[in-house]
Amino acid sequence: MKDIIQDPDPVLRQAAAAVPVSEITTKKIQGIVAAMQEALANEEDGVAIAAPQIGVSMRLFVVSKKVLKDAPADMVFINPELIRLGKQKKFVHEGCLSVRWKYGLVKRATTATVRAYNMQGNQFQMSARGLLAQVFQHETDHLDGILFIDSAKEIEDIPPHHEPHTV
């Protein structure tokens, strides 16, 4: 199993490279996604993971089926772009699998729309509100080399017994 990379590893601060659309269905990309899904599944409080978090500087993230209403499986977003953020913003509690046990308040749009490719290489668009909108923004930040602690307020250490969801 791949370990989840921890801050201050430099891969977390790099802008990730786009996945060539012609390579989406290759064994290489499928293997990276499988490794991400396994790493995420092993983190009880994790709800999403970006490729840089397993040391792969590529533009893709996986959202756990725990966050997706009635989803039978995790959802994969390849070359995601935030194409719309709602005007309304609010502070939300946030953590990160790569900044373990630190949590803070981050100002996020309450709604977000992302355009990405799925595992079959088909482009799709998805709008969300609440936690899923927050996840879209957090994971897209990862792909741009941004960590939640860069903008979080009231950062605190919370040991592993009482942690909220970690994106």
Side-chain angles (χ1 to χ4, degrees):
M1 185 192 89
K2 287 264 193 190
D3 287 334
I4 294 178
I5 303 297
Q6 295 298 305
D7 184 46
D9 190 298
V11 73
L12 296 171
R13 296 302 189 162
Q14 296 170 4
V19 176
V21 175
S22 62
E23 292 180 19
I24 289 174
T25 59
T26 64
K27 281 186 178 178
K28 174 186 174 186
I29 300 303
Q30 305 282 321
I32 291 167
V33 169
M36 291 169 63
Q37 289 174 312
E38 182 183 355
L40 182 58
N42 285 315
E43 299 295 331
E44 190 177 304
D45 61 325
V47 295
I49 192 168
Q53 292 181 271
I54 64 161
V56 177
S57 191
M58 297 184 95
R59 296 190 77 79
L60 57 103
F61 66 79
V62 173
V63 177
S64 170
K65 63 185 175 190
K66 293 185 266 189
V67 181
L68 303 164
K69 299 233 186 299
D70 305 318
D74 297 339
M75 193 163 180
V76 178
F77 295 78
I78 301 171
N79 295 337
E81 295 175 76
L82 285 172
I83 58 171
R84 192 175 313 118
L85 291 174
K87 287 183 171 56
Q88 183 181 0
K89 294 186 177 359
K90 70 178 192 178
F91 281 98
V92 289
H93 205 90
E94 209 162 283
C96 180
L97 295 172
S98 291
V99 189
R100 265 326 214 169
W101 316 127
K102 289 198 183 305
Y103 299 90
L105 295 173
V106 180
K107 197 170 202 177
R108 299 282 190 196
T110 59
T111 60
T113 300
V114 69
R115 180 186 305 135
Y117 289 89
N118 64 19
M119 293 288 284
Q120 292 73 43
N122 298 317
Q123 195 172 56
F124 69 96
Q125 192 169 302
M126 185 174 186
S127 295
R129 60 181 55 252
L131 178 60
L132 188 54
Q134 179 184 354
V135 166
F136 287 169
Q137 294 166 79
H138 179 105
E139 300 307 325
T140 303
D141 280 352
H142 266 300
L143 303 180
D144 294 331
I146 299 166
L147 297 177
F148 88 98
I149 54 174
D150 297 342
S151 61
K153 304 210 177 314
E154 300 177 30
I155 296 173
E156 56 185 331
D157 286 304
I158 301 177
H161 300 325
H162 304 86
E163 71 273 356
H165 286 298
T166 304
V167 288

